[in-house]
Amino acid sequence: MKGCWFHASVIRLAAIAMVCALLPSVAHAQATASITGVVTDASGAVLPGVTVEASSPALIEKVRSVVTDGSGQYRLEQLRGGVYAVTFTLPGFNTIKREGLELAGSFAASVNAEMRVGSVEETVTVTGETPIVDIQSANRQRVINQELLEAIPTGRTPQVAAFMIPGVNLNNVDVGGTNIINTTGGSMSIHGGAVGDTRILIDGITTANAEGTGWAANMLPNMGSTQEVAVDYSSASAESITGGLLINMIPKTGGNRFAGSLFATAVNSSFQGSNNTDELRIRGLRTPNSLKLQYDINPGLGGPIRADKLWFYTSARFTRQANYIGGLFQNRNAFDITKWAYEPDESKPAFSDATEESVNLRLTWQATQANKLSFFYDTHWRCQCAFTGTTVAQEAAHLLEYPIQDLFSVSYTAALSSRILVEARAGVRREEFAYTPNNPEDPNRLLIPVIEQGGLIPGLLYRGRGLANATQPYQRTLGVVIPWSASMSYVTGSHSAKFGVYNVTANRDSKVPDNFDKLTYRFNNGVPNQLTQRATPLDRAERQRFDLGIYAQDKWTLNRLTLSGGIRFDLFQSYFPEQTLGPAPLVPNRNVTFPKTDMANWKDLVPRMGASYDVFGSGRTALKVSLNKYVTAQGLQGTYGDTANPVNRLANIVTRTWTDADRDYVADCDLTNVLAQDLRASGGDFCGVVSDTNFGQPTLSLAYDPDALNGWGTRPFQWEFSTSVQHQLVPRVSVDVGYFRRWYGNFGVTDNLVLSPSDFGTFGIAIPADPRLPDGGSTVSGFKDVNPNKAALAPNNYFTLARNYGKQIEHWNGIDVTVNARIRAGMTVQGGISTGRRVADSCDIVDDVPESALLTGPYCLQEENFLTDGKLVWTYAIPKIDVSVSGLFISRPGPVVSANRVVPNAEIAPSLGRSLSNNAPNATINMVYPGTLFGDRRNQLDLRFTKPLRIGGTRLGVNFELYNAFNTNAVLTENPTYSNASVSGWRVPTSIVPPRFVKFSVQMDF
């Protein structure tokens, strides 16, 4: 039955498309670019009343026109990407026509005209270079057009497209499309920004689900229906709620002729080499991660349903990826309820496997010349089966399915006059995901998961399933997100004003079942020492009433200076509906109902300011500066989301020390009793006091300060300052040098009110004399442990603003140097470097609230190293052999290095003056100052060679792709556990850059 609903949708949408046409369609992109300039006569006097027309195949209405104002200025806004011709006409003057003007994204092309008096009608045609320096905008944007999307060897996702920008961080390392189906698609940031501030849009409608803070989306976008990807990465206008990456996928919409495309590729392990070495094997990587199977088939078709009136575009995508996990093998004891050890079967490498299929349809209706409507539906089926990781055995990997995964949107644009443009958009985004098994009778529920602190793979989760950690059982969640927006633009020659509103409403409902015992065990070298117990099953729900922004902004050109300013009112409101929890196996007396509970109610006014100055008046050098404030993204998860849900504020998940005296792997204690029990004398076990004695009680373990959740100016925020110089070196080649600074405010902290700073003991640890450790042979002090007489007290946690305890700072400073060159037809070069560092200081807070950083307090002041990121993208058409070569070179810092040592109580006690509280057998402590030690750089080169062929009206590109051409084996992830001073006792690689492999693909356009 799996996926049947999806395949029925595919058939229905495909049938609609086939009835419409047998061949697919020309694309039109969302209108965001502009053409501006000044018209003068031969003496330099400005000319008002000149009719300026922009024509392009990209415009459905074919021609857009305005008239210059009293200062001779004009502005054509909301233009789709494409090639334009601009015509200037005024009675008594020669007509001027400028051809070959290329627009993309939100670029503002400056085109001035000098008109001469003519006695007869005459048109003077001018062909010039498209401006490459935007002299009228402080906004920083990179557009990856369709030509570049098709040419560059990547995994064909908007995240990977944005990753080509220097400074962009992406946690998901993809090589050749082998790792593009993953949870959220990968987290991204730039210039010290927050991951949660990223936004991914399709034609201005968010793809986000109800998870996280509005950035996550577990759907693989369909690049076959994408015309270009526009990435705003700094100096956002008042339209943007956050200061993170804004990635907008500009869609194909169809046109007046039938046309289409097909991309197809497939590869398996036979096409891959090896980059494993003796050095890696000695370090502990027994087998490297590598490719098992990958394919991607992406057809698209469209055209007119009624010429000049109604168009369609439809596309489908079928993708699968399977990868072997480095150093991990299937467990010989998998699914054997009588076995508790992980015994790797080295003849069976563990692997992850994921499949996604999708289909979409867009209809565009030009109701009148001034009014346009667009309808879009996109549906997906996905299964990440199994979701194996470097420290998650295959039998413990969860099966993540998405029974519901779709997006519907509608948009409307109206040109009420040559000066007034109205836009409105609305959508519904649904996503249901399920971590199986969901059948209560599934035998896998009888298996208790185990986390091994030592062993062959420290930190390995094996045996039982769940969400791949001790604190999260199974889950089934349905999220519904409803975004909508409306705006009105008023454009004159010197002004471009815009007023708008944007809101997102969201609902999130979760059911949380569990394994039969509601337990996860922790072992140290096979010996049980701790268990996690849970008050499951339970249901929970969150609601977001408003994530509202109302804004006004204007761009004003005064000769060579363009000023941009805006003000935005942000309102965020969330609440939790009435919820009831009944009895559960480990909390048999639970029976509590929580009434509807309000959560956040924030109000903020945030300014956006920018200026751009044409330094020499030639349009070739621009000085830009901006200062913007943004609220930090919020949603239905995190500190201000589901963490604050009254259901989750109960002590639902607790840990306790456990000594399995009879080694029967059964916790022979009363787990409904939260206090310590020593039953060893009677044949039972020792079970320590639980980590929160509110377990099973209707008492909330966490309260929130109303002043942190309500009113004006209390929402977490950030400021961003930037300044840069962009200069055209030669025609079609520019260089950009910029400085960026970002700083944060309104931090929060959780204070356990039953504890004071005097209720903690302090201890230090000796760092082994290992030359690889930066402070090897020294002692680090300042770690905390709660005093035993306070350990059993029920916590009274109180979340409030950190500024109530002192000063906390976090900021990032950096520099970008980038080059953009469109040297000639068939040759493009883009790239540069970005370097910067983060500084954070929370020492004042840690001094007053030690429980906020028990084992990280000595690292409260973090001054990270400068990290430099380099990217280079190029395409080149070799004329004599008619072959195109393109490439992507990446130079990235290695992973941050930790040394987490499991320090036994016997070693801590002499410094602490007593044993650890709660009879804890050990403490895991990082011995490397965070942000000061990094792995080897990743220098990776990917290449594509394309032979274009023409068969009748069909263009066919046959691609030969070479990924990881240098065959680098740079380590991507390491096990952070420090076991000993041997080569394999620390920094054991868990994944490396996949080995060099070749792949063939085809791109067909007809």
Side-chain angles (χ1 to χ4, degrees), residues 274-281 283 285 288-289 895 936-940 964-974 989-996:
S274 174
N275 59 354
N276 200 11
T277 63
D278 289 340
E279 179 186 357
L280 289 171
R281 281 186 285 268
R283 286 181 60 183
L285 182 63
N289 51 293
D936 296 334
R937 292 190 68 85
R938 171 165 64 109
N939 295 311
Q940 177 186 324
N964 190 11
F966 295 153
N967 206 31
T968 178
N969 59 4
V971 174
L972 300 177
T973 58
E974 300 177 349
T990 55
S991 68
I992 61 175
V993 178
R996 179 194 297 128

Side-chain angles (χ1 to χ4, degrees), residues 391-465:
T391 56
V392 180
Q394 191 158 328
E395 80 273 11
H398 52 262
L399 309 180
L400 179 52
E401 297 180 295
Y402 297 82
I404 300 174
Q405 178 88 283
D406 61 7
L407 169 65
F408 171 76
S409 68
V410 58
S411 64
Y412 169 73
T413 59
L416 302 184
S417 71
S418 62
R419 293 188 173 188
I420 299 177
L421 178 71
V422 173
E423 295 181 283
R425 288 182 172 82
V428 178
R429 169 79 167 93
R430 300 186 305 164
E431 180 175 297
E432 183 180 33
F433 60 88
Y435 292 90
T436 55
N438 288 290
N439 180 359
E441 299 179 359
D442 193 310
N444 287 327
R445 292 201 174 196
L446 299 176
L447 297 169
I448 297 175
V450 175
I451 295 177
E452 174 57 67
Q453 286 186 294
L456 293 171
I457 305 174
L460 178 69
L461 172 71
Y462 66 96
R463 198 174 185 271
R465 280 192 174 135

Side-chain angles (χ1 to χ4, degrees), residues 172-184:
N172 170 48
V173 177
D174 170 63
V175 180
T178 59
N179 189 26
I180 57 176
I181 305 175
N182 47 70
T183 306
T184 76

Side-chain angles (χ1 to χ4, degrees), residues 198-209:
T198 298
R199 293 292 181 269
I200 298 179
L201 316 173
I202 297 178
D203 192 29
I205 292 291
T206 180
T207 65
N209 53 26

